[in-house]
């Protein structure tokens, strides 16, 4: 049972707040971030206030510009995460197949819950063609609202579905080299 009613826009607020926190912790202005990310300043202001839907590539580009882990920008616990530095002393952005990770984790979560693609269409109201294109990897740049809608039916936060999950050991880490390990039980 879900604790509260779902709103698709919630991920935009979480993402926007985390972008702002990351930017401010790096002592960057909106203008500076817009220059580094090659993104419009007004659009960034709208993202930070949770008013603008974001395509996946844009979200990743902002994580890269801020040098923060992409998945951390999707987490409600952004500032309370316990961060371990890697061997070179960095805990910033890491290039990865973020959408591929999401698709794999999403499919596994559906299988665990014995849900099929039909359930995805009916529970999310995301069109069949969009869901199919995402699940087959043909859609390379879905929006955060669409991905969050899909995450909702798995009862997992979007951040969890973008994390590398070790299904056998029941933990996930935010990096392919195990920098942040959280107990997977806390998110299920």
């Amino acid at each position: 049972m879900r604790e509260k009613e779902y709103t698709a826009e919630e991920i935009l607020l979480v993402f926007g707040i985390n972008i702002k926190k990351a930017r401010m912790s790096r002592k960057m202005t909106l203008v500076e971030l817009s220059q580094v990310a090659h993104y419009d300043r007004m659009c960034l202001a709208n993202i930070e206030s949770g008013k603008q839907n974001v395509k996946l590539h844009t979200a990743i580009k902002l994580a890269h510009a801020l040098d923060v882990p992409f998945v951390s920008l999707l987490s409600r616990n952004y500032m309370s995460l316990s961060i371990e530095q890697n061997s070179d002393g960095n805990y910033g952005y890491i290039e990865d197949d973020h959408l591929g990770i999401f698709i794999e984790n999403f499919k596994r979560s559906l299988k665990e819950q014995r849900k099929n693609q039909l359930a995805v269409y009916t529970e999310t109201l995301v069109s069949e063609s969009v869901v199919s294109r995402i699940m087959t990897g043909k859609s390379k740049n879905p929006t955060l609202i669409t991905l969050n809608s899909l995450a909702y039916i798995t009862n997992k936060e979007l951040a969890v579905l973008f994390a590398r999950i070790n299904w056998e050991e029941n933990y996930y880490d935010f990096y392919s080299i195990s920098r942040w390990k959280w107990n997977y039980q806390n998110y299920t």
Side-chain angles (χ1 to χ4, degrees), residues 46-102:
N46 286 335
I47 288 171
E48 284 189 357
S49 62
K51 295 177 183 171
Q52 182 170 325
N53 198 0
V54 180
K55 295 269 191 174
L56 180 62
H57 290 166
T58 300
I60 292 169
K61 183 166 130 177
L62 290 171
H64 190 255
L66 290 163
D67 195 28
V68 296
F70 166 66
V71 77
S72 71
L73 294 175
L74 304 173
S75 174
R76 289 180 181 86
N77 301 317
Y78 176 74
M79 293 307 277
S80 63
L81 296 175
S82 171
I83 300 172
E84 298 175 24
Q85 293 180 338
N86 65 12
S87 59
D88 64 2
N90 187 6
Y91 53 82
Y93 177 79
I94 291 191
E95 192 69 40
D96 209 340
D97 179 15
H98 300 290
L99 186 57
I101 294 166
F102 173 87

Side-chain angles (χ1 to χ4, degrees), residues 4 6 12 18 23 39 42 54 63 76 81 86 125-127 133 137 145-146 151 167 186 188:
K4 63 179 183 169
Y6 169 76
L12 300 182
N18 290 341
R23 178 180 60 78
Y39 200 72
M42 288 305 296
V54 180
R76 289 180 181 86
L81 296 175
N86 65 12
L125 302 178
V126 176
S127 75
R133 289 180 56 75
I145 285 182
T146 299
W167 294 87
N186 293 337
T188 56

Side-chain angles (χ1 to χ4, degrees), residues 149-167:
S149 296
L150 300 181
Y152 178 74
I153 71 160
T154 67
N155 295 317
K156 291 178 175 56
E157 284 192 37
L158 186 57
V160 172
L161 293 179
F162 273 105
R164 290 203 173 270
I165 298 175
N166 183 331
W167 294 87

